Amino acid sequence: MSKRCSIASRMTDSASNLRQTPLDVSPNPRQTLADTLPKTQQTLADALPKTLKLVGLGFWQAWWMLAMCSSSLVPIGTSVCGVDLQLGITIATDLGYLLIFLAGALALRKGLTLNHPLILPVAAAAFSLGTFLMALIPYLSSQGPQVLVLMAGGINLAIGNALLLILWGKLWSQLATGRVGRYLYLSFLFAFLLFFLVSALPHLIAMTLMVAFPVASAVILHSCKNEPRRAQAASPLDLSDAPIARILFGVLIVSVVYGMCENVIPFMANASDVQGNQTLSMVVAGVCLAALVANIFITSPVSEAHALYQPFLPLMALGLCFVVIFDPNTSWLGNGLIILGIYCLDMLIMLVSTDVAHRSGLPVCIAFGTAILAARVGTLIGSLLPRYALGIDPSALGSMGAGGIATAAQMHILDSVVVIALLMLVLVGVLLFTNSDLDLLYRSRHGQTPRRKKRILEGEVNDSRIAGIHSADSQISGMQIAETQACDLHDDDALVFQAQSPEEMLRLRCLALAKVCGLTAREVEVLELLLQGRTVQDVCDQLVIARGTAKHHVSNIYRKTGVSDRRSLHDVVNQMPLG
């Protein structure tokens, strides 16, 4: 009995000290790895500015923009054996995503991992070699060598492109910062700048730069190895109730709409200047993206997933309406909004699927690979639909009108495509992928920690029987803080029961969560205030910090704990054991 009383006294003193002394939370060891290295051992990772590191994906995205929306890689309309080269690149890369997904599923089944150090250089080399081979095709005069080079280039592109993107997704899934969405926005904005610069260069120089883009992206990705990483989720996410299949089908449908539009709209204004129409569309998309980037940095949204979800469907629908309402000569305006909408969807896919992978314990190549495969297959289907399902030959549009402008009959064809596309977007926004569905991905049940029976003085008490009380603060809605907790002393199986005040219990749970998720001392202070029902402005006033700083701390807390709102945050904190 004296032993128990001594232990209980020490626990009471410890809880009292928590109230009187600043909370000292040791940072995640990974967060200080770069700081502990001697300067003589600093690598390229330490030489690159942090902003450049985290927008390195822009080189990968710029490659895609140049390959699909310009003649920098292969001239638009170039074909081999009747197969359009840009369509061939899409098919090859889709097969690459499928292979990576299957490899990830096999590795998961066999208990293996795809973490070999040579994967990144192999991905960069294959991607660059495939780019070079594809760019070489227009310079070959005979069909035989063209076919061989096309096959070799397609295989290398399939492997390199998919591997490099999955490796970037793995990085995004592990980053501890709550600003991953903002870095994705900046990456795409950086890609637009590269697109405009490279597309204005002669083909030989542009081709050379595109060959170097995968290497640059891989080097920057390697330099991010010492970036702060978040710990594994305190409790794995249970996705059994999440509408995964429905969301993926919605992504597929939206991508089909994009594929249809990109194979019809650029030919409507002036079929003889498709490249000019595409460039104007990219200008519109780039300017609007810059406005979105400015908005997200000014408003500092706590949930970046919702900030990425909100614009993509309205942008695409508005773009389709512009195409129908305004003169065909300005169809590039609507097409630019459609392009921006699909890029927002791509960023949303990368952010959410990698985050879900981390919180659920799934490999990134499974979660992210499935989502990106659905998007790319949808784009491929949409590219084939106008020609083979609707009987529309994009290259023939505008050939009968004066000055290359589409005739009235051709405009009826376009109207039909646009109406179908709008109906498909409405279907997605209402039934398949709603804002509530996105909430469900973050509010899915967390796996429960194993119940440990604890002997408490007399009899046995389970965690589920621990009494809870409501906080006296009226601003706390529905939050229950355990009044008693069985504490495992790890000493000859001796267990003791010690009552604590609600404030002490809250601090203990926050401390436990901080150690599991790698929260900083300041983030723990913000966490306690949030759990007490305080608003962001209250946090600013009490901690004497700027509103943007407070939002940044809240975003980091949500990111590290794997939630997107306070309700889920309460659930995670209340699940933390105090043993």
Side-chain angles (χ1 to χ4, degrees):
M1 176 64 70
S2 61
K3 182 177 181 179
R4 289 179 178 175
C5 293
S6 176
I7 295 171
S9 176
R10 289 199 302 269
M11 291 183 64
T12 304
D13 294 340
S14 175
S16 177
N17 291 335
L18 281 175
R19 294 193 303 268
Q20 298 173 3
T21 61
L23 191 58
D24 182 17
V25 181
S26 298
N28 191 325
R30 285 184 173 182
Q31 294 179 335
T32 57
L33 179 60
D35 297 332
T36 60
L37 291 174
K39 289 187 177 180
T40 55
Q41 298 181 8
Q42 297 292 316
T43 63
L44 180 61
D46 308 295
L48 291 173
K50 181 172 182 178
T51 302
L52 179 59
K53 291 181 185 180
L54 297 179
V55 299
L57 179 69
F59 286 102
W60 179 91
Q61 180 61 32
W63 186 97
W64 266 102
M65 291 178 178
L66 290 164
M68 296 290 106
C69 301
S70 76
S71 298
S72 298
L73 183 61
V74 293
I76 293 178
T78 303
S79 61
V80 175
C81 296
V83 177
D84 183 81
L85 280 185
Q86 290 178 322
L87 180 62
I89 291 173
T90 302
I91 295 174
T93 51
D94 285 354
L95 291 175
Y97 296 130
L98 178 60
L99 289 175
I100 294 299
F101 170 79
L102 294 176
L106 180 62
L108 180 63
R109 186 174 181 180
K110 298 293 185 179
L112 304 175
T113 58
L114 301 177
N115 295 323
H116 197 281
L118 290 180
I119 289 182
L120 182 57
V122 167
F127 201 174
S128 293
L129 178 59
T131 304
F132 173 76
L133 292 175
M134 285 294 182
L136 192 63
I137 292 176
Y139 295 97
L140 301 176
S141 56
S142 57
Q143 193 173 39
Q146 285 182 337
V147 173
L148 293 177
V149 172
L150 175 62
M151 294 177 61
I155 292 173
N156 280 278
L157 281 182
I159 296 173
N161 170 75
L163 276 177
L164 187 57
L165 181 59
I166 293 298
L167 291 174
W168 271 108
K170 184 178 179 180
L171 171 67
W172 294 127
S173 73
Q174 297 174 348
L175 285 178
T177 177
R179 296 182 175 181
V180 173
R182 270 159 273 198
Y183 289 129
L184 287 173
Y185 264 129
L186 287 176
S187 296
F188 274 68
L189 187 60
F190 178 57
F192 271 100
L193 295 176
L194 291 175
F195 170 83
F196 293 125
L197 289 174
V198 175
S199 61
L201 298 174
H203 180 262
L204 186 60
I205 299 177
M207 177 193 73
T208 304
L209 290 175
M210 289 188 67
V211 170
F213 278 0
V215 177
S217 184
V219 168
I220 294 176
L221 177 58
H222 178 71
S223 75
C224 295
K225 62 182 180 180
N226 292 330
E227 289 299 310
R229 308 295 175 97
R230 55 178 174 168
Q232 196 63 39
S235 55
L237 191 67
D238 183 3
L239 297 174
S240 58
D241 294 335
I244 301 294
R246 181 153 50 83
I247 291 176
L248 289 176
F249 186 59
V251 170
L252 177 73
I253 296 299
V254 173
S255 300
V256 168
V257 171
Y258 170 72
M260 291 171 57
C261 294
E262 290 309 294
N263 281 268
V264 173
I265 296 177
F267 296 88
M268 298 307 299
N270 191 334
S272 62
D273 189 20
V274 176
Q275 176 64 65
N277 297 337
Q278 283 285 56
T279 301
L280 289 173
S281 297
M282 294 298 286
V283 170
V284 172
V287 171
C288 293
L289 178 62
L292 288 178
V293 170
N295 177 70
I296 197 172
F297 273 90
I298 292 173
T299 59
S300 298
V302 172
S303 175
E304 293 188 321
H306 290 82
L308 285 168
Y309 172 85
Q310 292 170 356
F312 88 88
L313 280 174
L315 281 171
M316 296 186 72
L318 185 61
L320 289 171
C321 292
F322 277 11
V323 171
V324 173
I325 296 174
F326 294 104
D327 188 271
N329 284 320
T330 60
S331 60
W332 48 265
L333 176 61
N335 192 40
L337 296 178
I338 295 171
I339 291 173
L340 179 57
I342 202 66
Y343 286 166
C344 288
L345 177 61
D346 285 344
M347 289 184 279
L348 177 67
I349 289 173
M350 175 166 281
L351 176 65
V352 174
S353 62
T354 55
D355 189 29
V356 168
H358 180 83
R359 294 187 295 116
S360 64
L362 284 174
V364 173
C365 56
I366 299 293
F368 179 42
T370 303
I372 202 68
L373 181 62
R376 295 299 181 260
V377 169
T379 301
L380 177 61
I381 294 173
S383 301
L384 298 175
L385 272 178
R387 186 184 299 271
Y388 297 103
L390 302 178
I392 301 174
D393 183 4
S395 61
L397 289 173
S399 60
M400 297 172 59
I405 304 301
T407 64
Q410 292 170 341
M411 285 303 301
H412 285 301
I413 297 176
L414 175 62
D415 290 342
S416 300
V417 173
V418 171
V419 169
I420 293 173
L422 278 172
L423 290 176
M424 294 169 72
L425 290 180
V426 171
L427 174 67
V428 171
V430 174
L431 299 177
L432 298 179
F433 189 10
T434 65
N435 197 54
S436 299
D437 294 328
L438 184 61
D439 287 334
L440 287 176
L441 286 178
Y442 285 90
R443 291 182 180 174
S444 296
R445 294 175 297 157
H446 287 263
Q448 300 295 321
T449 55
R451 283 185 180 175
R452 298 178 300 165
K453 289 188 177 182
K454 307 171 187 285
R455 290 179 295 166
I456 304 177
L457 297 181
E458 296 180 0
E460 294 184 346
V461 177
N462 292 340
D463 288 340
S464 59
R465 292 175 55 193
I466 295 175
I469 64 170
H470 289 280
S471 171
D473 192 325
S474 60
Q475 293 181 340
I476 302 177
S477 59
M479 185 183 93
Q480 291 185 336
I481 303 176
E483 182 181 15
T484 60
Q485 175 71 23
C487 298
D488 189 351
L489 302 181
H490 305 289
D491 183 9
D492 298 328
D493 199 33
L495 293 162
V496 66
F497 173 79
Q498 176 66 36
Q500 301 285 349
S501 70
E503 293 80 8
E504 292 167 345
M505 295 296 292
L506 176 62
R507 290 178 65 82
L508 288 172
R509 288 190 183 279
C510 289
L511 177 58
L513 184 65
K515 292 180 178 179
V516 171
C517 298
L519 301 182
T520 66
R522 177 63 85 180
E523 288 168 355
V524 173
E525 291 179 318
V526 175
L527 173 63
E528 290 187 40
L529 293 175
L530 293 178
L531 295 176
Q532 293 170 9
R534 302 295 191 266
T535 64
V536 172
Q537 188 58 51
D538 294 333
V539 173
C540 298
D541 296 339
Q542 187 157 341
L543 300 182
V544 194
I545 57 178
R547 185 175 182 84
T549 303
K551 284 189 174 183
H552 177 52
H553 288 316
V554 175
S555 296
N556 285 350
I557 292 170
Y558 284 2
R559 172 78 175 171
K560 293 178 180 180
T561 57
V563 301
S564 65
D565 54 35
R566 297 196 190 189
R567 171 186 168 185
S568 301
L569 187 62
H570 286 187
D571 293 339
V572 170
V573 172
N574 288 332
Q575 288 175 13
M576 291 304 301
L578 299 183

